[in-house]
Amino acid sequence: MRHRKREEHPEVRVCTELLIDTGRRPDEVCRLPLDCLERDPDDSPVLLYDNHKAFRLGRRLPIAKVTAAVVTAQQERVRRRFPDAPSSELKLLPSPVANPWGTKPISGIWEHHRNWVRALLEFLVPLEV
């Protein structure tokens, strides 16, 4: 059986999209629980996350509908992968390795980002003096 490289796992792409769309810290996004999406009274999507660095737990961040759709699709993938696990114990971005119960979040997102930046073509931007 061929093992996929870490970059091929959908969790890495979802994590990157959430980092870009929300401006949250990588650790905050990687540790999101499966049930991290709620709706405000006006039906606007809200991301629930913990800001451990500032000891501010249960933060509510309004997000775009497109971002909410990314979260919802990922929630569905996780439920298919771990159908018998309690939602309260699952991570939105479970590690694809050594994680039979879905409780361990992905890690090493900086490594993936660094590899992506290194793969970019070099270019120069002219500066006006």
Side-chain angles (χ1 to χ4, degrees):
M1 178 175 149
R2 179 172 108 46
H3 292 283
R4 295 191 297 175
K5 292 188 287 185
R6 290 176 75 175
E7 296 81 27
E8 295 175 7
H9 290 284
E11 290 80 9
V12 173
R13 180 181 176 96
V14 170
C15 184
T16 302
E17 288 185 46
L18 292 177
L19 288 169
I20 292 167
D21 291 354
T22 66
R24 298 297 86 211
R25 294 179 183 94
D27 189 53
E28 293 169 351
V29 170
C30 289
R31 295 165 102 189
L32 286 171
L34 182 67
D35 298 327
C36 62
L37 185 63
E38 284 190 0
R39 299 269 173 189
D40 272 345
D42 66 352
D43 203 38
S44 299
V46 177
L47 184 73
L48 303 176
Y49 72 97
D50 291 334
N51 178 339
H52 291 283
K53 187 172 182 178
F55 305 107
R56 299 173 74 191
L57 307 180
R59 307 300 300 162
R60 296 177 64 83
L61 178 69
I63 58 174
K65 290 179 182 176
V66 171
T67 306
V70 169
V71 171
T72 301
Q74 178 62 19
Q75 287 171 324
E76 292 168 1
R77 268 193 297 280
V78 172
R79 286 312 302 140
R80 283 192 305 273
R81 185 171 166 206
F82 305 101
D84 299 325
S87 293
S88 62
E89 296 178 15
L90 291 172
K91 296 298 181 189
L92 178 67
L93 302 169
S95 174
V97 293
N99 190 22
W101 299 283
T103 58
K104 181 176 140 187
I106 64 169
S107 62
I109 197 68
W110 286 112
E111 177 186 341
H112 296 291
H113 183 259
R114 186 173 23 259
N115 291 340
W116 174 73
V117 169
R118 286 181 180 151
L120 293 174
L121 297 175
E122 288 190 36
F123 62 92
L124 298 175
V125 177
L127 298 174
E128 294 182 330
V129 207

